[in-house]
Amino acid sequence: MEEEKNIQINKELFTNICMAISVMIYYIFINLGYANIELDIFKIDLKVFSMILLGITIILFETAYKKESGKLALIGIECLVLASHTLSAIHVTTIFNFYFKYYILTSSYCFAIYYVLKDIIIYTKERKNYLNSLSDISEIVKKEEPTKKEATKKKRGK
């Protein structure tokens, strides 16, 4: 049982790390595209990438709704944030005069930090649940309602 629980936790953590790596690779491709593609074509590419991510988000939300899965819904929200960030990247860098490469690099670091913190929280929560399941103290110390006895008059003997 313990080994199965560890495998499940490790699988979930590995999935999150793979998602973080894929987001980092995505941002690397965006940086390479910015350096090698004309700006007008690059803006169109960013819009296309954003629309693809929004399509994936819709699919994830529908699947999460059908399966009633909060984890899939959270992945869908993460994908939605990534899509909106992709769509707004050129606009934000133009308005605030940020250097695009540094802006994308910083964004990729923020996503990586988010996924690492998410992994830490998941591991801590699952480990705590597992350790609580090993303890039987809660079963021993269950609070039971005390039984109330009704007061009765004693008959005096004459």
Side-chain angles (χ1 to χ4, degrees), residues 52-66 72 76:
I52 291 170
L53 285 171
L54 286 174
I56 292 170
T57 300
I58 291 170
I59 292 169
L60 285 171
F61 282 153
E62 289 295 325
T63 308
Y65 179 73
K66 286 180 184 175
L72 273 179

Side-chain angles (χ1 to χ4, degrees), residues 94-126:
T94 304
I95 288 179
F96 294 111
N97 287 332
F98 293 145
Y99 191 60
F100 186 80
K101 286 187 177 186
Y102 294 137
Y103 180 72
I104 293 297
L105 184 67
T106 305
S107 299
S108 67
Y109 289 157
C110 290
F111 272 97
I113 290 169
Y114 164 75
Y115 280 110
V116 169
L117 289 176
K118 183 179 171 187
D119 275 347
I120 291 170
I121 290 169
I122 289 171
Y123 179 77
T124 305
K125 185 177 177 182
E126 292 297 325

Side-chain angles (χ1 to χ4, degrees), residues 1-144:
M1 167 109 179
E2 177 181 344
E3 191 169 318
E4 292 174 11
K5 189 68 174 174
N6 284 337
I7 290 172
Q8 180 185 2
I9 293 171
N10 288 339
K11 182 179 177 185
E12 193 170 343
L13 296 177
F14 180 72
T15 304
N16 280 330
I17 294 297
C18 287
M19 288 171 46
I21 290 170
S22 63
V23 168
M24 295 291 282
I25 290 171
Y26 173 73
Y27 278 123
I28 288 171
F29 283 132
I30 287 178
N31 260 336
L32 289 173
Y34 181 74
N36 297 322
I37 300 175
E38 293 178 24
L39 188 60
D40 293 335
I41 297 172
F42 180 69
K43 287 180 181 180
I44 293 171
D45 287 347
L46 283 182
K47 290 176 186 176
V48 169
F49 291 152
S50 182
M51 290 301 130
I52 291 170
L53 285 171
L54 286 174
I56 292 170
T57 300
I58 291 170
I59 292 169
L60 285 171
F61 282 153
E62 289 295 325
T63 308
Y65 179 73
K66 286 180 184 175
K67 293 183 178 181
E68 296 181 7
S69 172
K71 292 178 184 178
L72 273 179
L74 182 62
I75 293 170
I77 291 170
E78 293 165 356
C79 193
L80 180 65
V81 169
L82 184 62
S84 62
H85 182 268
T86 301
L87 191 60
S88 66
I90 292 286
H91 186 67
V92 169
T93 55
T94 304
I95 288 179
F96 294 111
N97 287 332
F98 293 145
Y99 191 60
F100 186 80
K101 286 187 177 186
Y102 294 137
Y103 180 72
I104 293 297
L105 184 67
T106 305
S107 299
S108 67
Y109 289 157
C110 290
F111 272 97
I113 290 169
Y114 164 75
Y115 280 110
V116 169
L117 289 176
K118 183 179 171 187
D119 275 347
I120 291 170
I121 290 169
I122 289 171
Y123 179 77
T124 305
K125 185 177 177 182
E126 292 297 325
R127 194 69 182 165
K128 181 180 176 186
N129 289 342
Y130 173 70
L131 291 176
N132 285 340
S133 71
L134 291 179
S135 174
D136 61 347
I137 292 176
S138 60
E139 295 174 12
I140 295 172
V141 185
K142 278 187 180 177
K143 292 184 178 180
E144 295 179 12

